[in-house]
Amino acid sequence: CMSEIVPVQITVNPLPTFSVNNATTCPNVPVNLNTLVTLNTENSEARFYSDEDATTQITEEEITLTADTILYTRSVDTITGCQSEILSLNITVTPAPTFTLAATDTAICEGSTINLQGVITNLSENSTARFYSDAAATVLLSSEMLTPQTDTTVYVKAIGNATLCESTIETLNVTVTALPTLATMPATICQFDSVDLTTLVTPPAGSTVRYYSDAQAASELTNTFVKPVVTSNYYVRATDDATNCMSTIHPIEITVNPAPTFVTVDTTLC
């Protein structure tokens, strides 16, 4: 005996659909995987995997990469559980620019200026070195010509001109060396007398003192014994033998008192 025939309805739910957007990123820059897919079906979500069989799921929404990587993804209908086909997702990692500091520690004389670009070597093509005042490299220096008053640390990184990928941050320590100091005193002499300038200067230890006839210290004297005929200024500065830092230029005033004058009268004697 057979029962009556009863129809059985089978509902076929459509598979969710989606598309992928291959991406290019920089090393160690977080990539939000959800931004790389476009879901075409309501109530669906994208899932990501490290293998093409979609057995090892990536649970993090953001990942960082150091090399080109192929991931795999599919869309899942959160109501029906239906799954789309598996698509590959290509993420290209653009190399970060590199550079070398000529020296991580450099010394300059007080009041001197250092060209920060001058300490950069082996800079990658199509990239620019930038300089910052903070270790996080967020406060860009307003000038690459730096005249620090005290010891200063500068932070450096390279940025790709087109890719905007960033290198690691390197540290440059700039030590400011104090200038040597010296003391001078004026002198007064009589007209036609001479004076030794070295007797009017107290130089700092470990320095070389030079004397000049002009305030710009361009014309060095070959003889420290001078014989001005009128009140004159000579100039002196000291150079530290170890650091080569030079003091400011100091004047030495030599006051010349005129010699007395007299008149002779011819006379005749027996």
Side-chain angles (χ1 to χ4, degrees):
C1 296
M2 294 184 294
S3 71
E4 63 179 320
I5 299 172
V6 178
V8 178
Q9 182 177 4
I10 299 175
T11 302
V12 178
N13 292 315
L15 299 181
T17 62
F18 73 110
S19 60
V20 299
N21 307 299
N22 294 324
T24 299
T25 187
C26 299
N28 298 312
V29 173
V31 176
N32 188 321
L33 295 177
N34 284 321
T35 63
L36 305 183
V37 298
T38 301
L39 298 172
N40 301 323
T41 304
E42 291 186 3
N43 302 314
S44 63
E45 64 181 19
R47 295 179 185 174
F48 302 89
Y49 305 87
S50 59
D51 63 309
E52 60 184 342
D53 296 322
T55 59
T56 305
Q57 185 174 353
I58 299 171
T59 57
E60 298 85 0
E61 183 176 332
E62 286 190 339
I63 62 171
T64 57
L65 301 171
T66 58
D68 294 351
T69 301
I70 299 177
L71 301 179
Y72 300 89
T73 181
R74 66 182 172 195
S75 176
V76 178
D77 191 307
T78 57
I79 296 177
T80 67
C82 292
Q83 299 179 348
S84 72
E85 62 176 329
I86 300 171
L87 299 180
S88 61
L89 174 62
N90 297 290
I91 302 177
T92 301
V93 178
T94 301
T98 59
F99 68 95
T100 305
L101 291 177
T104 56
D105 297 279
T106 187
I108 63 172
C109 300
E110 181 182 355
S112 296
T113 297
I114 180 173
N115 183 345
L116 295 176
Q117 288 290 355
V119 303
I120 302 296
T121 62
N122 302 319
L123 180 64
S124 297
E125 290 186 4
N126 302 314
S127 63
T128 302
R130 293 184 181 171
F131 306 90
Y132 303 83
S133 61
D134 63 312
T138 59
V139 182
L140 184 66
L141 294 180
S142 59
S143 174
E144 296 171 354
M145 305 299 291
L146 185 67
T147 309
Q149 301 303 309
T150 59
D151 294 351
T152 300
T153 300
V154 177
Y155 301 90
V156 190
K157 68 180 177 184
I159 300 177
N161 296 336
T163 66
L164 299 182
C165 290
E166 300 179 357
S167 70
T168 56
I169 300 171
E170 300 291 342
T171 301
L172 172 65
N173 298 304
V174 181
T175 301
V176 178
T177 303
L179 304 182
T181 58
L182 74 163
T184 62
M185 60 182 178
T188 299
I189 62 173
C190 294
Q191 191 176 15
F192 309 121
D193 286 347
S194 64
V195 61
D196 183 0
L197 295 177
T198 63
T199 64
L200 306 178
V201 176
T202 304
S207 67
T208 299
V209 178
R210 292 183 172 86
Y211 301 85
Y212 305 87
S213 60
D214 63 309
Q216 292 74 38
S219 299
E220 185 175 356
L221 298 175
T222 58
N223 189 350
T224 60
F225 284 86
V226 294
K227 193 176 184 179
V229 295
V230 295
T231 297
S232 303
N233 280 333
Y234 296 89
Y235 301 88
V236 60
R237 71 178 172 194
T239 301
D240 189 287
D241 295 333
T243 66
N244 286 324
C245 291
M246 293 185 291
S247 71
T248 56
I249 300 171
H250 291 259
I252 304 173
E253 183 179 20
I254 308 296
T255 300
V256 178
N257 289 326
T261 59
F262 62 95
V263 177
T264 60
V265 178
D266 293 338
T267 185
T268 302
L269 297 174
C270 295

